[in-house]
Each structure stands twice: as C-alpha cells, then as structure tokens.
Amino acid sequence: MNKLLEGVKNLKDKWFGLSRTKQIVIAILAVAIIAAAAVATTSITSTKYGVLFSKMDSTDATTVIAKLKTDKIAYKVDSTTNTISVPEANVDDLRLQYATLVKGGSTGFELFDNSSSQFGMTDQQFNVQYQRALEGEIERTIKSFPQVADARVQLVMPDDSVFVKDASPATASVFLKLNSGESLSTSQVKAIVALISGAVKNLPAANIQVVDDNMKLLSAGLNSTTGDNTDVSATTAARSAVEEKEETELQEKVLNQLEPIYGTNNVKVQIHADMNFNAVQQDATVEKDPVVISEHETNTVTPGGNTVASGSPVNNNNSSNQIVNSNTTSGATTSTDVTKNYDTSKSETKTVTAPGDINRLTVSVVLDGRVSNTTQTSINNIVSQAVGVNPQRGDTVSIEGLAFDTSLQNAAQKAQTAMNTAQQQQQKNIFIRNIIIGAVIGVIAIIGFIIFLARRRKNKEEMDEDEEGFDELIGDDVDKTTQIKYPPIQFEQNSEKSHMEKEIRTYATSKPEQVADVVKSWISEDER
C-alpha cells in the first residue's frame, strides 16, 4: 500500500513538475486516445445493418415488417425512402426468404391461389377478380423496366356478346412514374402499348393511353401511321431534319463567300430548300432494227363472177399479213397472201429517282448598308454559284442592302465591358486584400518572434541571476587570497544544536528513503 501511495505521489510530483504547455498537450493526447478507443470499441461491438429492401411500396413494407416482427429479427426503417435494414449477416438469407412477400404493390394471379375463396363465386365476381389479377401482372411487368419506378394499369373490359358485330373493344389507361432523370422514347412507349395490347383480349393499340407523372400524354401520335405501318410523325420529323441540314450547309457556303468581304456580323443569309422525298421509277422500252426471219406467200385464184376480193394488212412485232388483189378480169379473181416474220431487238431502261432532290431554292441575302446595282449583280453571281441556283426549276435569289440595328449588340458589348471591368476590379481587390492579410500576418509573426526573443532573453537573464545567486551562495566569487577562518566545531559539545544533528543523522540512517523524499520536495519548492 505504501509503495502504491509512494508511486502516486511520485506521479503527482512529476505532473506538477511539468510546464503548463506540456500538461495541456498530454491532456489532449490522453483524451484523444480515450475517444479513439471508445469509438473503436463501439464500432466493434455494435451491430452492423445492411439494406434488405429499398424504395418499397407501402403495402409491401408493412407485410415485410410484420414478418420480421413475427420472426423476432432486429430491423431499422427509413420512412423517407421506405428502406428496411436488417443485421448485415442476415441480409442474403432474409432477402431470399421474403422475396415472395414483395409484390411491388401489385397483386397478380395469386388472387386465385386460395381455392376456398372461389367457392360460390358468381361470374361477375370472377370477371372482376380476373381483371384485377391481369392489371397486377401487367403492372409488375412494366415496373421491371429500368426507367420505370412505379406503374398503375386500369382496364375496362366490356361484356362479351354472342354477336360478333356487337362486340366492343377493351380500353386501357396506364400511369407511369419514371425514375429521376429518366425518359421514354417513342419506340419504348410503343413497346409498352404493344405489351398491353397483346396481354388483353380484344384491346387494340389505339385504345391504350399512357401518361407519365408529369401529366404528359406519351401515347400521343403513336397511332398516326400510314398504310405500311410507318409513323407519319417520325417520317415528317426526319424529312424536316434533312431539309434543315441541307439549308444549314447552303447557308454556310454563302457565308464563307461573303463574310471575308463584308465582315462576320455584316451579312445575314436565309435559305429555304423545298425538297422532294418521293422515290420515282420510270420504265422505258425501245424496239429497233427489225429483221425478217421468215416469209410466206400464197396466191389464190377465184373463177367466175365479178366479185373483187379485198384485204387489209395485219402488222405486229413478229409477223405481218398482207392480201394483194392482182387481177379481176375474165370473170376470175387472183389474190396473193404474204406473211413475214420479224425479229426485233428491245432495249428496256429503268430509271429510279432517289428521294431528297431539291424542287426549289429560295435564297435571301441581306447586307449591312447600301448596295449598288453592280454589287448586287456580283453578289448574285457568287451566291448562285455557291448554292447551285437553277432558274429552270424556279430558284430565286434576293439581295438587299439595309442598315442593321446594332443597339442590342452595343448594349451587350457595354455589359461585357462593364462585367470585365468589375471582374478586374474584384481581382484587384482580392489581390490587395491578400497583400494586407499577408502584411498583417507578417507583422504578427514579427511581433510574436520579438516577444519570443524577449521572453527567451528574460529567461536567460533570470537563469544567469540564479546562477549568480548560486555562485554567491556557494562562494565562488570569494577572493581566493582572502582566507576566512572559522572556529572549530565542537562535536562533543552537548547543546540543542548538536542534539538535533545527532537525531537527524540517526533518522537518516534508519529511514534514508523518506529523508530523500523530503529533500526532493524542498528542491521542487525552491524551483517553483
């Protein structure tokens, strides 16, 4: 016990023997070590949770939580994102076990799993259950798409009729909630419409309406198709894009010719290209150089009477028949029938005109300032050559010289100049501020250094004074030539002082450690 108290006392003496700065540093280090140890212990001993399911439907989340409570498994719930977390070691097993409980808020054909609930069900009730199950199955399929966060499907199923002509088609409405930053293309919307149309009996694609969470009708224009099932809106957009590209290229050609002469902002060009996107095929057949490959002649004599035989030539590509009356005297008629077969060579030509030809160009060029007639003629020639103007198809070029309104440009230039000036002034202010801050820091550093030197010098002087006092105490500065004579000590003299010395020697001999502690405490008190 004494050694423990003695050790504590030694530590206490060492602690108080340290300077204030060292005490603060040691205290901070001790607190940091204790805090790090506490954090490490907490992280090691605490239970780590992992995400079981996230972004769940409210119904599914309620079902999963009830199951976790039944199985007595610890869990955490984030209500803002409907995320359920469980101990990290159990995440994989629980995810497989509870997978059947997560239905995405939709109920499919599992409505018919309980056969007892179907007992005594009427046809109308069965149709309603079947419609609910079909809606749920379609919703699940649409939710599986990566762009879709949630979906709702509502079907309107008409009553079946025994008469085909009285049958009414079904209709469907689809609501889609897309993920943040996602969108659906026209082809993707068509895929969803085709999916629903194929899943529901007698549901044409025209009766399906798709709406997203921004109240935008995604199915608009999907049914605008031609006879070959081509999307008219897409075709029109593609043709407009081709015309715009052609016009832009022609405008760049004209600007490349005129801007080096009149300046960048002194020329405005607008071109309209009327293009033909119809593919035309022309077939032409030419027959030439007929050659007779066979000839047959027949003479016929008809006796008596004055009957005159007449004939008419028959011509075609391969043969010709000709009846010739040669003699009708003496009551007899003679006729000659000539047949000739020809071989003709044919030349067939098929010409296909590709879509995208230009029907007409309309070019408008406006120059800043007045333009003389001679200059207009020169510019007209330049523009005509640059864009390939063809007067025979009705192309026109209009060139005018007008004064441009530069007020907006001047205002923008002034605003830009003012902004640049303000930016330069701000940079200058920041530079001056940095210089001032640096100067203040330098002055503070110099003052601190001077104070440090002054304190150091003062401490040195105090140490020198202590050494001088110690020298005076031990008599180092006593003149060596001067000898001080002290009276001899009478050790055997019985007095109060000699008695005390004897007691001290005896105590020091018997208990030297305690005497050493007393001396150390005296020395530390003198140092303080």
Side-chain angles (χ1 to χ4, degrees):
M1 187 66 182
N2 292 330
K3 290 184 179 180
L4 180 60
L5 295 174
E6 185 178 352
V8 174
K9 185 177 180 181
N10 291 335
L11 291 175
K12 183 178 180 183
D13 294 338
K14 290 182 180 180
W15 174 259
F16 287 108
L18 298 174
S19 62
R20 176 71 64 181
T21 304
K22 291 182 179 179
Q23 290 178 354
I24 294 173
V25 172
I26 292 173
I28 293 174
L29 290 175
V31 172
I33 292 172
I34 294 172
V39 172
T41 304
T42 304
S43 61
I44 293 173
T45 57
S46 62
T47 304
K48 295 182 179 180
Y49 284 82
V51 177
L52 180 62
F53 297 111
S54 61
K55 298 180 180 179
M56 301 185 65
D57 184 79
S58 300
T59 305
D60 294 339
T62 304
T63 305
V64 172
I65 291 173
K67 182 63 175 176
L68 290 172
K69 289 181 179 179
T70 304
D71 295 342
K72 296 181 180 180
I73 298 174
Y75 66 91
K76 290 183 179 180
V77 179
D78 185 0
S79 59
T80 57
T81 58
N82 284 347
T83 300
I84 299 176
S85 302
V86 295
E88 193 172 16
N90 302 331
V91 170
D92 295 334
D93 294 338
L94 294 177
R95 189 173 294 168
L96 292 175
Q97 294 177 15
Y98 295 170
T100 56
L101 301 177
V102 180
K103 301 175 181 177
S106 302
T107 305
F109 285 110
E110 61 269 15
L111 287 172
F112 298 97
D113 291 343
N114 189 2
S115 59
S116 61
S117 62
Q118 302 177 22
F119 183 75
M121 183 182 297
T122 63
D123 292 341
Q124 185 175 5
Q125 291 175 343
F126 178 82
N127 292 335
V128 172
Q129 290 286 81
Y130 176 78
Q131 181 175 337
R132 289 180 55 197
L134 188 58
E135 291 175 351
E137 293 293 336
I138 296 174
E139 289 174 1
R140 289 180 184 176
T141 305
I142 297 175
K143 289 178 184 178
S144 64
F145 298 154
Q147 296 85 357
V148 180
D150 195 7
R152 294 289 296 171
V153 177
Q154 294 179 347
L155 301 176
V156 178
M157 309 290 289
D159 295 335
D160 293 335
S161 176
V162 296
F163 301 101
V164 177
K165 65 178 182 179
D166 294 336
S168 300
T171 59
S173 298
V174 183
F175 169 77
L176 300 179
K177 182 179 180 181
L178 304 179
N179 291 319
S180 178
E182 296 287 348
S183 60
L184 295 178
S185 63
T186 304
S187 60
Q188 291 172 333
V189 178
K190 285 183 177 181
I192 294 175
V193 171
L195 174 69
I196 300 172
S197 178
V200 181
K201 178 182 178 182
N202 194 18
L203 177 58
N207 290 1
I208 302 174
Q209 304 298 329
V210 183
V211 182
D212 64 359
D213 51 346
N214 294 323
M215 300 300 294
K216 181 180 179 181
L217 183 61
L218 302 179
S219 58
L222 292 180
N223 301 319
S224 299
T225 57
T226 58
D228 56 353
N229 201 24
T230 304
D231 192 349
V232 175
S233 59
T235 304
T236 303
R239 293 180 178 180
S240 299
V242 172
E243 289 181 348
E244 184 177 356
K245 181 180 179 181
E246 183 69 20
E247 292 170 355
T248 302
E249 291 178 355
L250 295 177
Q251 290 174 6
E252 290 179 355
K253 290 181 180 180
V254 176
L255 290 175
N256 291 336
Q257 293 289 332
L258 299 180
E259 281 184 348
I261 303 173
Y262 294 96
T264 303
N265 296 322
N266 296 327
V267 180
K268 301 296 180 182
V269 179
Q270 188 67 36
I271 297 178
H272 174 69
D274 183 12
M275 305 183 70
N276 181 15
F277 293 95
N278 296 326
V280 180
Q281 177 176 341
Q282 295 179 352
D283 297 338
T285 302
V286 179
E287 297 181 359
K288 58 183 179 178
D289 299 333
V291 178
V292 179
I293 59 175
S294 63
E295 182 177 356
H296 178 69
E297 181 176 350
T298 303
N299 295 323
T300 304
V301 178
T302 303
N306 293 325
T307 305
V308 178
S310 63
S312 60
V314 179
N315 297 323
N316 52 40
N317 293 333
N318 297 322
S319 62
S320 62
N321 295 328
Q322 185 176 7
I323 299 174
V324 180
N325 296 328
S326 59
N327 188 7
T328 57
T329 59
S330 304
T333 303
T334 303
S335 63
T336 304
D337 186 5
V338 181
T339 302
K340 294 182 179 181
N341 295 324
Y342 295 91
D343 184 13
T344 59
S345 60
K346 297 182 180 179
S347 176
E348 296 182 356
T349 304
K350 293 183 178 180
T351 304
V352 179
T353 304
D357 289 343
I358 297 177
N359 290 333
R360 183 184 179 188
L361 282 179
T362 303
V363 184
S364 175
V365 180
V366 181
L367 302 174
D368 187 12
R370 294 183 178 180
V371 180
S372 62
N373 294 332
T374 305
T375 304
Q376 286 184 354
T377 303
S378 300
I379 295 174
N380 190 359
N381 295 332
I382 294 173
V383 173
S384 299
Q385 294 295 326
V387 300
V389 173
N390 186 3
Q392 295 179 356
R393 65 186 181 190
D395 296 351
T396 58
V397 179
S398 174
I399 300 173
E400 299 293 338
L402 300 173
F404 289 178
D405 183 9
T406 60
S407 59
L408 183 60
Q409 184 178 358
N410 295 334
Q413 185 67 27
K414 290 181 180 179
Q416 183 68 27
T417 304
M419 185 175 64
N420 293 335
T421 304
Q423 187 176 3
Q424 293 176 358
Q425 185 64 31
Q426 184 179 4
Q427 293 178 353
K428 184 177 180 181
N429 295 336
I430 294 173
F431 180 72
I432 295 173
R433 184 184 64 184
N434 293 335
I435 292 176
I436 294 174
I437 293 174
V440 172
I441 293 175
V443 171
I444 293 174
I446 294 172
I447 294 173
F449 184 70
I450 293 172
I451 294 174
F452 172 74
L453 293 178
R455 288 185 177 179
R456 185 176 180 183
R457 183 176 181 183
K458 184 178 179 182
N459 293 334
K460 187 175 182 181
E461 291 177 353
E462 290 179 354
M463 292 176 63
D464 293 341
E465 291 177 357
D466 292 340
E467 291 178 357
E468 291 177 358
F470 184 71
D471 292 338
E472 291 178 358
L473 179 62
I474 63 176
D476 287 345
D477 57 347
V478 178
D479 189 2
K480 295 181 180 180
T481 60
T482 304
Q483 297 293 333
I484 301 174
K485 295 182 179 181
Y486 296 98
I489 300 174
Q490 300 295 331
F491 292 102
E492 301 297 334
Q493 184 180 0
N494 293 325
S495 63
E496 183 179 359
K497 183 176 181 181
S498 62
H499 177 70
M500 185 178 294
E501 290 178 356
K502 291 179 181 180
E503 292 293 332
I504 292 172
R505 287 192 185 98
T506 304
Y507 186 79
T509 303
S510 61
K511 297 182 179 180
E513 295 179 355
Q514 295 182 4
V515 173
D517 292 338
V518 172
V519 174
K520 288 180 181 179
S521 64
W522 289 349
I523 293 173
S524 61
E525 290 178 359
D526 292 340
E527 290 178 355
R528 290 197 296 270

